[in-house]
Amino acid sequence: MQITAQSVHALRAKTGAGIMDCKRALSEVDGDVERAVDFLRKKGLSASSKKAGRIASEGAVGSYIHAGGKIGVLVEVNCETDFVGRNDDFLSFVRDVAMHVAATSPRYVRREEVPAEEVERESQVLREQIRESGKPEAVAEKMLVGRLGKFFQEICLLEQAFVKQPDKTVEQVQSELVAKIGERIVIRRFVRFGLGEGLERKSEDFASEVEKVVAGG
């Protein structure tokens, strides 16, 4: 099949591999970008995979405050050297990630962090929805995989569309920076604060306890 420039660009953004390697990989897997990513990683041609085993213990903690101080984010992004930790492109990425977290409110960095019980609970809900649609079993299983993928895209930072470049995921933007800088980069963790979050529930709980005491005499 014909390999488009767009698919080559998308694969190169994900892996940092060379243009010819990307074209060859896409040809091997009938143009499927995700399968081509795996192909390059298995061949050791992905820049990201080459750096995956290297230790990233330097970096920076970035912050972002929004809406007149009503939303605040701290994010830790690691790299391999203190030199890169002071690099303007790297620091700009850290700030952008903090801004992204403020805007989209993800719950986890990557899908591997999502608790198994949460995934299973979501799977059960989705299975029931699909079952009610009356789809054949084979189709239903594919639908489940697709809907679970959307679930991860909603709650996992790396899989979300990047707010500053919606045609790319956060992970793709990160991979592009890895290819540009030449070091492993890892979004390690983040915390998002929303003014007053949780206080309403505590107030409701307190009111409920008061009602119980009054009812009990």
Side-chain angles (χ1 to χ4, degrees), residues 126-170:
L126 293 174
R127 282 194 186 96
E128 186 60 33
Q129 292 174 351
I130 295 169
R131 188 179 299 113
E132 291 179 357
S133 70
K135 299 292 183 182
E137 188 64 30
V139 176
E141 199 58 34
K142 290 181 180 179
M143 289 177 65
L144 176 61
V145 172
R147 293 187 183 183
L148 267 179
K150 290 181 179 179
F151 166 70
F152 287 123
Q153 288 170 9
E154 290 174 359
I155 66 173
C156 297
L157 171 62
L158 290 176
E159 300 190 35
Q160 292 181 334
F162 192 43
V163 290
K164 293 187 71 172
Q165 296 174 274
D167 59 324
K168 300 176 183 178
T169 64
V170 174

Coordinates of all heavy atoms in Angstrom, one line a residue, residues 126-170:
L126 N -19.0 -1.0 30.6 CA -18.9 -0.9 29.2 C -19.5 -2.2 28.6 O -20.2 -2.2 27.6 CB -17.5 -0.7 28.7 CG -16.9 0.7 29.0 CD1 -15.4 0.7 28.6 CD2 -17.7 1.8 28.3
R127 N -19.2 -3.4 29.2 CA -19.7 -4.6 28.7 C -21.2 -4.6 28.7 O -21.9 -5.1 27.8 CB -19.2 -5.8 29.5 CG -17.7 -6.2 29.2 CD -17.4 -7.6 29.8 NE -16.0 -7.9 29.6 CZ -15.0 -7.6 30.5 NH1 -15.4 -7.1 31.7 NH2 -13.8 -7.9 30.3
E128 N -21.8 -4.1 29.8 CA -23.2 -4.1 30.0 C -23.9 -3.2 28.9 O -24.9 -3.5 28.3 CB -23.6 -3.6 31.4 CG -25.1 -3.6 31.7 CD -25.7 -5.0 31.6 OE1 -24.9 -6.0 31.9 OE2 -26.8 -5.2 31.2
Q129 N -23.2 -2.0 28.7 CA -23.7 -1.1 27.6 C -23.7 -1.8 26.3 O -24.7 -1.6 25.5 CB -22.9 0.2 27.6 CG -23.0 1.0 28.9 CD -22.1 2.2 28.9 OE1 -21.2 2.3 28.0 NE2 -22.3 3.1 29.8
I130 N -22.6 -2.4 26.0 CA -22.5 -3.1 24.7 C -23.4 -4.3 24.5 O -24.0 -4.5 23.5 CB -21.0 -3.6 24.5 CG1 -20.1 -2.4 24.4 CG2 -20.9 -4.4 23.2 CD1 -18.6 -2.7 24.5
R131 N -23.6 -5.0 25.6 CA -24.6 -6.2 25.6 C -26.0 -5.7 25.3 O -26.7 -6.3 24.5 CB -24.5 -6.9 27.0 CG -25.3 -8.2 27.0 CD -25.2 -8.9 28.3 NE -23.8 -9.2 28.7 CZ -23.2 -8.6 29.7 NH1 -23.7 -7.7 30.4 NH2 -21.9 -9.0 29.9
E132 N -26.4 -4.6 25.9 CA -27.7 -4.0 25.6 C -27.9 -3.5 24.2 O -29.0 -3.4 23.7 CB -28.0 -2.9 26.6 CG -28.1 -3.3 28.0 CD -28.4 -2.1 29.0 OE1 -28.4 -1.0 28.5 OE2 -28.6 -2.4 30.2
S133 N -26.8 -3.3 23.5 CA -26.9 -2.8 22.1 C -27.1 -4.0 21.2 O -27.5 -3.8 20.0 CB -25.6 -2.1 21.7 OG -24.5 -3.1 21.6
G134 N -27.0 -5.2 21.7 CA -27.3 -6.4 20.9 C -26.2 -6.8 19.8 O -26.5 -7.5 18.9
K135 N -25.0 -6.3 20.0 CA -24.0 -6.6 19.0 C -23.5 -8.0 19.1 O -23.5 -8.6 20.2 CB -22.8 -5.6 19.2 CG -23.2 -4.1 19.0 CD -23.5 -3.8 17.5 CE -23.8 -2.3 17.4 NZ -24.2 -2.0 16.0
P136 N -23.1 -8.6 18.0 CA -22.5 -10.0 18.1 C -21.3 -10.0 19.0 O -20.6 -9.0 19.1 CB -22.1 -10.3 16.6 CG -23.0 -9.3 15.8 CD -23.1 -8.1 16.6
E137 N -20.9 -11.2 19.5 CA -19.8 -11.3 20.5 C -18.5 -10.8 19.9 O -17.8 -10.0 20.6 CB -19.7 -12.7 20.9 CG -18.7 -12.9 22.1 CD -19.2 -12.3 23.3 OE1 -20.4 -12.1 23.5 OE2 -18.3 -11.9 24.1
A138 N -18.2 -11.1 18.7 CA -16.9 -10.7 18.1 C -16.8 -9.2 18.0 O -15.8 -8.6 18.2 CB -16.7 -11.4 16.7
V139 N -17.9 -8.6 17.5 CA -18.0 -7.1 17.4 C -18.0 -6.5 18.8 O -17.3 -5.5 19.0 CB -19.3 -6.7 16.7 CG1 -19.4 -5.2 16.6 CG2 -19.3 -7.3 15.2
A140 N -18.7 -7.1 19.7 CA -18.7 -6.5 21.1 C -17.3 -6.4 21.7 O -17.0 -5.5 22.4 CB -19.7 -7.4 21.9
E141 N -16.5 -7.5 21.5 CA -15.2 -7.5 22.1 C -14.3 -6.3 21.5 O -13.6 -5.7 22.2 CB -14.5 -8.8 21.8 CG -13.3 -9.1 22.7 CD -13.7 -9.1 24.2 OE1 -14.8 -9.5 24.6 OE2 -12.9 -8.6 25.0
K142 N -14.4 -6.1 20.2 CA -13.7 -5.0 19.6 C -14.2 -3.7 20.1 O -13.4 -2.7 20.3 CB -13.8 -5.1 18.1 CG -13.1 -6.3 17.4 CD -13.3 -6.2 15.9 CE -12.5 -7.4 15.3 NZ -12.7 -7.4 13.8
M143 N -15.5 -3.6 20.3 CA -16.1 -2.3 20.8 C -15.6 -2.1 22.2 O -15.3 -0.9 22.6 CB -17.6 -2.4 20.8 CG -18.2 -2.3 19.5 SD -20.0 -2.5 19.5 CE -20.5 -1.0 20.4
L144 N -15.4 -3.1 23.0 CA -14.9 -3.0 24.4 C -13.5 -2.5 24.4 O -13.2 -1.5 25.2 CB -15.0 -4.3 25.1 CG -14.4 -4.4 26.6 CD1 -15.2 -3.4 27.4 CD2 -14.4 -5.8 27.1
V145 N -12.7 -3.0 23.5 CA -11.3 -2.6 23.4 C -11.2 -1.1 23.1 O -10.5 -0.3 23.6 CB -10.5 -3.4 22.4 CG1 -9.1 -2.8 22.2 CG2 -10.4 -4.8 22.9
G146 N -12.1 -0.7 22.1 CA -12.1 0.7 21.6 C -12.6 1.6 22.7 O -12.0 2.7 22.9
R147 N -13.6 1.2 23.4 CA -14.1 2.1 24.5 C -13.2 2.2 25.7 O -13.1 3.3 26.3 CB -15.5 1.7 24.9 CG -16.6 1.8 23.8 CD -18.0 1.5 24.2 NE -18.9 1.6 23.1 CZ -20.2 1.5 23.3 NH1 -20.8 1.3 24.4 NH2 -21.0 1.6 22.2
L148 N -12.5 1.1 26.0 CA -11.5 1.2 27.1 C -10.4 2.1 26.7 O -9.9 2.8 27.5 CB -11.0 -0.2 27.4 CG -11.7 -1.0 28.5 CD1 -11.0 -2.4 28.6 CD2 -11.7 -0.3 29.8
G149 N -10.0 2.1 25.4 CA -9.0 3.0 24.9 C -9.4 4.5 25.1 O -8.6 5.3 25.6
K150 N -10.7 4.8 24.9 CA -11.2 6.1 25.1 C -11.2 6.5 26.6 O -10.9 7.6 26.9 CB -12.6 6.3 24.5 CG -12.6 6.2 23.0 CD -14.0 6.4 22.4 CE -14.0 6.4 20.9 NZ -15.4 6.5 20.3
F151 N -11.5 5.5 27.4 CA -11.5 5.7 28.8 C -10.1 6.1 29.3 O -9.9 7.1 30.1 CB -11.9 4.4 29.5 CG -11.6 4.3 31.0 CD1 -12.3 5.1 31.9 CD2 -10.7 3.5 31.5 CE1 -12.1 5.1 33.2 CE2 -10.4 3.4 32.9 CZ -11.2 4.2 33.7
F152 N -9.0 5.4 28.8 CA -7.7 5.7 29.2 C -7.3 7.1 28.6 O -6.5 7.8 29.3 CB -6.7 4.7 28.6 CG -6.7 3.4 29.4 CD1 -7.0 2.1 28.7 CD2 -6.5 3.3 30.8 CE1 -7.1 1.0 29.4 CE2 -6.6 2.1 31.5 CZ -6.8 0.9 30.8
Q153 N -7.7 7.4 27.4 CA -7.4 8.7 26.9 C -8.0 9.9 27.7 O -7.4 11.0 27.7 CB -8.0 8.8 25.4 CG -7.2 7.9 24.4 CD -7.9 7.8 23.1 OE1 -8.9 8.6 22.8 NE2 -7.4 7.0 22.2
E154 N -9.1 9.6 28.3 CA -9.7 10.7 29.2 C -9.0 10.9 30.5 O -8.9 12.0 31.0 CB -11.2 10.3 29.4 CG -12.1 10.4 28.2 CD -13.5 9.9 28.5 OE1 -13.7 9.4 29.7 OE2 -14.3 9.9 27.6
I155 N -8.4 9.8 31.1 CA -7.9 10.0 32.4 C -6.4 9.9 32.5 O -5.8 10.2 33.5 CB -8.5 8.9 33.4 CG1 -8.0 7.5 32.9 CG2 -10.0 9.0 33.4 CD1 -8.4 6.4 33.9
C156 N -5.7 9.5 31.4 CA -4.2 9.4 31.5 C -3.6 10.5 30.7 O -3.8 10.7 29.5 CB -3.8 8.0 30.9 SG -4.4 6.6 31.8
L157 N -2.7 11.2 31.4 CA -2.1 12.4 30.8 C -1.4 12.1 29.5 O -1.6 12.9 28.5 CB -1.0 12.9 31.8 CG -0.1 14.0 31.4 CD1 -0.9 15.3 31.0 CD2 0.9 14.3 32.5
L158 N -0.6 11.1 29.4 CA 0.2 10.8 28.2 C -0.7 10.6 27.0 O -0.2 10.8 25.8 CB 1.2 9.7 28.4 CG 2.3 10.0 29.3 CD1 3.2 8.7 29.5 CD2 3.2 11.1 28.8
E159 N -1.9 10.1 27.2 CA -2.7 9.7 26.1 C -3.7 10.8 25.7 O -4.4 10.6 24.7 CB -3.5 8.4 26.4 CG -2.6 7.2 26.7 CD -3.3 5.9 26.8 OE1 -4.2 5.7 26.1 OE2 -2.8 5.1 27.6
Q160 N -3.7 11.9 26.4 CA -4.6 13.0 26.1 C -4.1 13.8 24.9 O -2.9 13.9 24.7 CB -4.8 13.9 27.3 CG -5.6 13.2 28.4 CD -5.8 14.2 29.6 OE1 -5.0 15.1 29.8 NE2 -6.8 13.9 30.4
A161 N -5.0 14.4 24.2 CA -4.6 15.3 23.1 C -4.0 16.6 23.8 O -4.6 17.2 24.7 CB -5.8 15.7 22.3
F162 N -2.8 17.0 23.4 CA -2.1 18.1 24.0 C -2.8 19.4 23.7 O -3.2 19.7 22.6 CB -0.7 18.1 23.4 CG 0.3 19.0 24.1 CD1 0.3 19.0 25.5 CD2 1.1 19.9 23.4 CE1 1.2 19.9 26.2 CE2 2.0 20.7 24.1 CZ 2.0 20.7 25.5
V163 N -3.1 20.1 24.8 CA -3.9 21.3 24.6 C -3.3 22.4 23.7 O -4.1 23.1 23.0 CB -4.2 22.0 26.0 CG1 -5.1 21.2 26.9 CG2 -2.9 22.3 26.7
K164 N -2.0 22.4 23.5 CA -1.4 23.4 22.6 C -1.3 22.9 21.2 O -1.1 23.7 20.3 CB -0.1 23.8 23.2 CG -0.1 24.6 24.5 CD 1.2 25.2 24.9 CE 1.7 26.3 24.0 NZ 2.9 27.0 24.5
Q165 N -1.4 21.6 21.0 CA -1.3 20.9 19.7 C -2.3 19.7 19.7 O -1.9 18.6 19.8 CB 0.1 20.4 19.4 CG 1.2 21.5 19.3 CD 2.6 21.0 19.2 OE1 3.2 20.7 20.2 NE2 3.0 20.8 18.0
P166 N -3.6 20.0 19.5 CA -4.6 19.0 19.7 C -4.5 17.8 18.7 O -5.1 16.8 19.0 CB -5.9 19.8 19.5 CG -5.5 21.2 19.8 CD -4.1 21.3 19.3
D167 N -3.7 18.0 17.7 CA -3.5 16.9 16.7 C -2.5 15.9 17.2 O -2.2 14.8 16.5 CB -3.1 17.4 15.3 CG -1.8 18.2 15.4 OD1 -1.6 18.9 16.4 OD2 -1.0 18.1 14.4
K168 N -1.9 16.1 18.4 CA -0.8 15.2 18.9 C -1.2 14.9 20.4 O -1.8 15.7 21.1 CB 0.5 15.9 18.9 CG 1.0 16.2 17.5 CD 2.4 17.0 17.6 CE 2.8 17.4 16.2 NZ 4.1 18.1 16.3
T169 N -0.8 13.7 20.8 CA -0.9 13.4 22.2 C 0.2 14.0 23.0 O 1.3 14.4 22.5 CB -1.0 11.9 22.5 OG1 0.3 11.4 22.1 CG2 -2.1 11.2 21.6
V170 N 0.1 14.1 24.3 CA 1.2 14.5 25.2 C 2.4 13.6 25.0 O 3.5 14.1 24.9 CB 0.7 14.5 26.7 CG1 1.9 14.9 27.6 CG2 -0.4 15.5 26.9

